[in-house]
Amino acid sequence: QVHLVESGGGSVQAGGSLRLSCAASGYIHSDDSLGWFRQGSGKEREGVAAIDDRGTTSYADSVKGRFTISKDISKANGKITLYLEMNSLKPADTGVYYCGIERGTWTATTMTPDDWGQGTQVTVSS
């Protein structure tokens, strides 16, 4: 089982930026995809961005050009950290952001993660 811990959420004004992090531990397969998801109040959870095992990234249309997903693999211990750089934030970006992992090659809109983090709240005010 993989353990995922998100951090970096907060409250910002529209137009601001935030950087989310997700520390992954446990057994991670070489062909895993990692992604960011969000759930607004009263809405279903949706895929925001994903990065597959080859480093190919994908984004929901609503965040293209504003969000950037990346991952870092520590040479010291192999620990994986997933990031989401969010710029030009809008009130519509408000929600709880989760990271997820799924074995195989998936995109932001096709991932159905096997494991989830606990989430981090992002609030964007107008």
Side-chain angles (χ1 to χ4, degrees):
Q1 187 175 358
V2 178
H3 187 53
L4 303 169
V5 180
E6 301 95 337
S7 60
S11 297
V12 297
Q13 291 192 328
S17 299
L18 282 173
R19 188 191 196 201
L20 305 183
S21 300
C22 173
S25 59
Y27 189 77
I28 298 173
H29 299 93
S30 60
D31 60 346
D32 280 334
S33 293
L34 292 160
W36 286 99
F37 301 76
R38 67 185 180 191
Q39 186 166 18
S41 179
K43 298 180 180 180
E44 292 187 358
R45 192 174 301 187
E46 62 175 349
V48 174
I51 184 166
D52 67 20
D53 57 304
R54 293 168 293 182
T56 301
T57 59
S58 59
Y59 300 90
D61 288 343
S62 59
V63 306
K64 281 180 181 176
R66 300 188 297 121
F67 290 12
T68 303
I69 188 172
S70 62
K71 67 179 179 182
D72 177 72
I73 302 174
S74 171
K75 293 181 179 179
N77 56 20
K79 183 178 178 181
I80 295 175
T81 305
L82 184 70
Y83 299 100
L84 185 68
E85 187 74 37
M86 304 186 295
N87 298 312
S88 302
L89 282 162
K90 305 175 181 180
D93 296 318
T94 295
V96 179
Y97 282 69
Y98 302 87
C99 62
I101 188 168
E102 184 178 9
R103 193 163 188 184
T105 303
W106 303 100
T107 69
T109 56
T110 63
M111 274 189 74
T112 53
D114 302 313
D115 291 288
W116 296 94
Q118 83 291 346
T120 185
Q121 176 71 44
V122 171
T123 303
V124 184
S125 58
S126 57

